[in-house]
Amino acid sequence: LYDNAPIGYHSLDTAGRFIQVNQTELNWLGYTRDELIGRPLSDISTQESIAIFRQTFPTLIETGLARDIEFEFIRKDGSILPGLVNATVVYDDDGTFLRTRSTIFDNTKRKAAEQALRESEEQNRLLFENTPDAVVLFDAQGSIIRANQAFEELAGLAAGQWKGNSMATLGLLPEQEVGALADAVVQAMADESRPASAEFSISHGDGTTRTDGARIFGITIQGRRHYLTSMRDITIEKQ
């Protein structure tokens, strides 16, 4: 059962050397048992993980518990195995440290998913920031919680000056235009499958009041309703 468990097991002595390891972990790492027994864990760890080990191992010996430590092992072929380590300590009747009992979960798929998510988030951020249209994310009360550079340029605002404000409190939307925008927002929030459209006059950063066309998408973020709006100056088209 120990050797064929679906997770890796190993035990270390007080110097951090392998004294026991199961076949599953050996298969993951590509070593034979003889190649690991008596060898320091640091020999098959990345520099970052050696630093983690030096920091956490004394605490493990003292407290008897370590949980969810991300650790990188170096396989025999030189590739990296990302693992998630949990460990307890075996003491004798006098409370003297005997060995660790560690479980290793292969974290490869999770790390790959995290990397894919980071790349996706970065792509989305670049698209949001660099699209030529002004893009704004509002909460259900109409406060701006995110806006791109094109919106700041359109409104003549410094970076982040919009945070927590609405279009009206920033002086961008005349009072008589608030109703038209609110109607479009209600429509977008009622049907998230289709965007709503609206046209309204907006005060641009150059001091002029111009006609902007907007597409408004109702979306749910962390269980709360929001609306995402893209705006474009359509004054020339209207003329």
Side-chain angles (χ1 to χ4, degrees):
L1 287 173
Y2 178 84
D3 264 333
N4 295 287
I7 58 177
Y9 289 115
H10 68 242
S11 293
L12 305 176
D13 64 15
T14 187
R17 297 181 296 245
F18 284 96
I19 56 176
Q20 196 172 5
V21 59
N22 76 340
Q23 190 60 46
T24 300
E25 189 169 335
L26 292 171
N27 292 342
W28 287 350
L29 296 172
Y31 296 100
T32 65
R33 197 177 308 275
D34 289 342
E35 288 174 324
L36 281 192
I37 298 301
R39 189 174 181 180
L41 177 65
S42 57
D43 278 4
I44 62 164
S45 308
T46 63
Q47 289 299 315
E48 293 81 0
S49 293
I50 290 173
I52 292 172
F53 180 77
R54 289 173 178 169
Q55 180 181 0
T56 59
F57 194 62
T59 304
L60 170 62
I61 292 176
E62 180 179 351
T63 65
L65 182 66
R67 294 180 60 85
D68 297 333
I69 298 173
E70 293 191 3
F71 204 90
E72 292 183 331
F73 299 88
I74 302 175
R75 296 187 180 96
K76 189 173 181 178
D77 63 8
S79 62
I80 302 299
L81 171 69
L84 191 66
V85 179
N86 288 274
T88 58
V89 170
V90 178
Y91 302 99
D92 65 15
D93 292 339
D94 297 323
T96 302
F97 173 92
L98 294 178
R99 66 183 184 276
T100 67
R101 291 188 297 197
S102 301
T103 60
I104 315 298
F105 293 89
D106 185 345
N107 219 19
T108 304
K109 291 183 179 179
R110 175 184 165 187
K111 298 298 287 186
E114 288 176 351
Q115 180 62 29
L117 179 60
R118 281 193 295 268
E119 291 174 356
S120 176
E121 289 174 342
E122 178 63 13
Q123 290 173 356
N124 290 336
R125 185 191 67 81
L126 291 172
L127 287 170
F128 184 91
E129 293 295 340
N130 296 307
T131 182
D133 289 348
V135 182
V136 188
L137 179 65
F138 299 90
D139 64 17
Q141 288 71 48
S143 296
I144 301 172
I145 59 175
R146 188 174 179 185
N148 69 350
Q149 185 176 349
F151 174 76
E152 292 172 346
E153 292 173 352
L154 177 151
L157 298 172
Q161 188 179 350
W162 42 262
K163 287 184 179 178
N165 287 293
S166 67
M167 296 279 284
T169 58
L170 288 169
L172 302 176
L173 196 64
E175 193 66 33
Q176 63 269 24
E177 298 287 354
V178 173
L181 179 58
D183 289 342
V185 169
V186 170
Q187 180 184 341
M189 299 288 269
D191 185 1
E192 292 189 4
S193 64
R194 292 182 297 178
S197 299
E199 295 179 7
F200 47 82
S201 297
I202 185 171
S203 299
H204 281 229
D206 59 7
T208 62
T209 298
R210 314 183 76 172
T211 301
D212 275 38
R215 287 170 62 81
I216 304 165
F217 302 81
I219 59 176
T220 301
I221 301 175
Q222 295 181 344
R224 296 183 179 181
R225 304 302 296 277
H226 294 72
Y227 55 99
L228 183 68
T229 304
S230 64
M231 292 178 281
R232 176 180 296 177
D233 183 352
I234 59 170
T235 305
I236 294 176
E237 288 96 322
K238 293 297 289 183
Q239 291 172 348

